[in-house]
Amino acid sequence: MVLVSDLIDGADLGVRAVLLPAPHAAVTWVVATELLQPASYLEGGELVLTTGLVMADAEAATWREYVASLVEAGVAALGLGTGIAFDTVPEDLREACRAGRLNLIEVPLEVSFASISREVGAMLQATEPEIGAEGAGNEEILVLQQLTRAAAKDNQSAIMRALASILRGEVSLRDATGRTVVGPFGPEATGIDDEVAECIDRIRPGGMRGAGAVGLGDMRLVVRPVGITGEPERYLVTVQRETLTRAQTLGVDLAWSFLNLIAESSKAFTGWLLQLVGASTRHLLAGDIAQGLALADQVQELVLTRLPSPERRSVPATGGGHQWRVVCLEGGSADVAGLSTVLARLLVESRGAPVGEQLLWRTDRGGTRLMILGEVERVPSLLEDGSVTPWTERMRIGVSGPVGVTDLPRGAQQALSVCTGTRQLGQAVRWETSGLPSVTDLLDEERAQAFARARLGGVADQPELLELLRIYLSEAGAVQRIAERLGVHRNSVPARLVRLRRALGVDIEDAEQRANLWFALHFWAE
């Protein structure tokens, strides 16, 4: 028998006791869940783990109801993961557990739910004869053990294979367009791609709280967002029987929780990666080649250290005599952010790749512009990649000519000139085919940026006005097209333009002022 006190005293789990009114309560298994009302899926004796995401704004009464339902279900203890929704254990939760005499444990951010499940599973397995004598060797225990063993491998595929075995149905991970990115595992369910894509479109506005299901005869297609914070980038898709057993329901909930936590850990890593990639790109575009390449090497090392490749290859010093291209993309902030995340994933997936596939990027101008540095061999395939095109189809794209690493600042000017000059969306235009050179190529970038700061100072801290100015100039002041680009009614555009004119302090209908503003936007850098 495993007791709650064993988790604190006899195991190296890294958890902390907050309240232990019943330290000798027996733990039968671990359930990680973000459900607001999980009690109907519990049988008693569980250690319930949650980040409390759905309780982030909960009042004291909600905590009391939540704890009361766990007590009624016979839960052994509640473990709250801090550092995501809550920095510390809320006082309202403490009071609710104190009143209900429910054991309360804090799980620090650095301790994964998967590691707790793995350790507790091992402890339960060590007492298996005793558990068997008490009749606990049932289907739920087997499901728990199967998933905790899969979670110990710390990868999505192992968890999804285990879930497919439990459900005896297809399990896959899809992106926001419905494209399969992991899997499928289990018996193949043919002809479901359209239904999956439609279901994701339907639930996407709900963010992490959205979920959907579609009937497929005697089977059921269920789509769940994967993650804890931010907007979902992946969706768990299961094809299962219309009615699940309690063990299968437990398996889905536990597997989903494991996948959510893996996704959140990946986001934290991606955040660090984006900072390092952005810093490297900034130095290279500023002409600080040595520092930029040193940071690029750190990017490669970070990826290889965190996610070692089974075929790890030595990577020669970055730069050298290789030719690069610079890609400038302009679009909505959501598209730019989505594309940046996709690029991070592509960088991770190509870990250990040769130097000819170097990839760096940064966002600027309030998150509406993305500058990508790629070695010549990689740029064409990158822009045609199936995970990239859904984001770039609404963006203007300019590509520089081939440049050496020391000429990257000139390449950036070329890409920016082509990008701001094109009216087509989703189609990459190369410097070599864009026609005559731009007058901006004659300007000193440092002085041009000083000019931009002076001209745009009135809207520098108002990104919505900067975006309005960019659209106004690119659409030559056409009200209907401006309204369509902004997604607003055309009657609201004149008032927006009055506000823009006042902030800038110039007549935006004057041809000379428009030219000045165009140059200022071209060289604007925040």
Side-chain angles (χ1 to χ4, degrees):
M1 178 182 297
V2 176
L3 307 179
V4 172
S5 58
D6 296 332
L7 308 183
I8 306 299
D9 303 326
D12 187 21
L13 295 178
V15 300
R16 295 192 285 263
V18 179
L19 292 170
L20 292 181
H24 299 300
V27 177
T28 55
W29 63 77
V30 180
V31 173
T33 178
E34 298 301 331
L35 295 177
L36 183 60
Q37 297 178 328
S40 60
Y41 300 104
L42 306 174
E43 292 190 341
E46 297 90 352
L47 166 60
V48 174
L49 301 176
T50 183
T51 65
L53 179 66
V54 296
M55 307 285 279
D57 301 317
E59 298 179 351
T62 305
W63 281 117
R64 287 196 295 269
E65 293 174 4
Y66 179 76
V67 169
S69 68
L70 297 181
V71 171
E72 185 176 354
V75 166
L78 172 63
L80 180 71
T82 52
I84 296 179
F86 298 96
D87 293 330
T88 60
V89 178
E91 188 59 35
D92 289 338
L93 174 58
R94 293 172 185 258
E95 288 300 321
C97 289
R98 186 176 291 113
R101 294 189 56 77
L102 177 63
N103 295 313
L104 178 60
I105 295 170
E106 180 182 0
V107 183
L109 182 61
E110 62 270 16
V111 179
S112 70
F113 286 3
S115 67
I116 295 175
S117 296
R118 182 169 61 246
E119 292 299 326
V120 173
M123 295 168 70
L124 290 169
Q125 203 165 25
T127 60
E128 189 171 0
E130 184 178 353
I131 292 174
E134 295 177 5
N138 51 28
E139 187 182 1
E140 287 87 349
I141 288 288
L142 295 176
V143 165
L144 175 68
Q145 292 176 344
Q146 187 174 358
L147 281 171
T148 51
R149 282 195 298 269
K153 299 178 182 178
D154 198 28
N155 68 72
Q156 296 170 323
S157 295
I159 294 170
M160 293 168 64
R161 283 193 185 93
L163 180 58
S165 172
I166 291 166
L167 293 179
R168 295 185 286 278
E170 182 180 302
V171 176
S172 62
L173 209 58
R174 308 286 184 118
D175 65 14
T177 68
R179 186 175 69 97
T180 301
V181 292
V182 181
F185 304 103
E188 182 180 3
T190 58
I192 64 171
D193 288 348
D194 289 343
E195 286 83 357
V196 170
E198 290 173 4
C199 193
I200 291 175
D201 281 343
R202 188 172 68 251
I203 69 174
R204 196 173 182 185
M208 290 299 180
R209 301 190 182 194
V214 178
L216 300 174
D218 61 343
M219 303 296 284
R220 190 170 182 80
L221 169 70
V222 181
V223 180
R224 301 171 176 86
V226 174
I228 297 175
T229 60
E231 293 299 317
E233 299 166 8
R234 294 286 186 265
Y235 292 84
L236 174 63
V237 176
T238 59
V239 179
Q240 59 198 48
R241 296 190 181 280
E242 187 71 30
T243 303
L244 298 181
T245 65
R246 291 182 65 86
Q248 289 174 323
T249 301
L250 170 67
V252 172
D253 193 32
L254 185 56
W256 187 23
S257 296
F258 282 147
L259 292 172
N260 288 340
L261 293 165
I262 290 174
E264 201 63 24
S265 175
S266 176
K267 283 183 183 178
F269 170 70
T270 300
W272 284 106
L273 186 62
L274 290 177
Q275 290 186 38
L276 197 55
V277 166
S280 173
T281 306
R282 279 193 297 274
H283 282 285
L284 289 172
L285 292 182
D288 186 356
I289 306 304
Q291 182 66 19
L293 293 181
L295 288 169
D297 288 341
Q298 288 184 35
V299 170
Q300 186 79 342
E301 187 60 30
L302 174 64
V303 173
L304 291 174
T305 301
R306 172 68 182 257
L307 299 166
S309 170
E311 298 181 1
R312 180 168 177 166
R313 290 163 281 177
S314 60
V315 180
T318 313
H322 292 274
Q323 291 288 291
W324 297 64
R325 287 188 188 270
V326 181
V327 184
C328 177
L329 304 101
E330 290 187 349
S333 57
D335 288 328
V336 169
L339 179 55
S340 183
T341 302
V342 168
L343 292 176
R345 187 176 306 116
L346 290 175
L347 183 61
V348 170
E349 289 173 353
S350 65
R351 55 192 184 273
V355 70
E357 296 183 0
Q358 186 64 260
L359 178 65
L360 298 167
W361 68 94
R362 62 165 291 186
T363 59
D364 54 22
R365 213 191 61 183
T368 59
R369 177 186 294 158
L370 191 70
M371 301 293 288
I372 301 175
L373 314 184
E375 297 197 19
V376 167
E377 295 86 347
R378 180 160 197 186
V379 168
S381 59
L382 171 68
L383 295 177
E384 295 171 0
D385 189 281
S387 61
V388 169
T389 52
W391 301 102
T392 59
E393 62 187 10
R394 295 182 295 274
M395 305 173 78
R396 294 200 304 273
I397 311 169
V399 184
S400 76
V403 294
V405 69
T406 58
D407 286 331
L408 282 171
R410 179 169 61 87
Q413 281 197 359
Q414 291 179 358
L416 183 57
S417 176
V418 176
C419 180
T420 56
T422 184
R423 301 290 293 274
Q424 297 174 313
L425 299 181
Q427 183 173 339
V429 180
R430 292 195 181 192
W431 170 256
E432 302 95 312
T433 60
S434 63
L436 295 175
S438 169
V439 70
T440 58
D441 303 317
L442 304 177
L443 303 180
D444 175 76
E445 185 170 6
E446 186 174 341
R447 295 180 63 187
Q449 288 182 352
F451 171 82
R453 289 192 293 270
R455 279 284 177 174
L456 301 178
V459 295
D461 58 349
Q462 303 182 71
E464 72 281 3
L465 290 185
L466 277 171
E467 179 67 6
L468 176 60
L469 176 60
R470 182 180 69 80
I471 294 174
Y472 173 80
L473 294 175
S474 67
E475 298 297 347
V479 172
Q480 182 60 43
R481 292 202 298 269
I482 293 171
E484 292 172 356
R485 293 277 297 276
L486 291 173
V488 299
H489 194 279
R490 71 185 313 276
N491 291 345
S492 70
V493 172
R496 295 169 188 264
L497 295 178
V498 168
R499 183 183 169 207
L500 177 63
R501 186 180 299 112
R502 289 173 178 169
L504 290 169
V506 299
D507 181 4
I508 59 177
E509 295 183 1
D510 180 80
E512 182 179 350
Q513 295 299 339
R514 283 193 185 188
N516 285 331
L517 292 170
W518 185 89
F519 277 110
L521 272 180
H522 186 89
F523 287 99
W524 176 251
E526 295 182 322

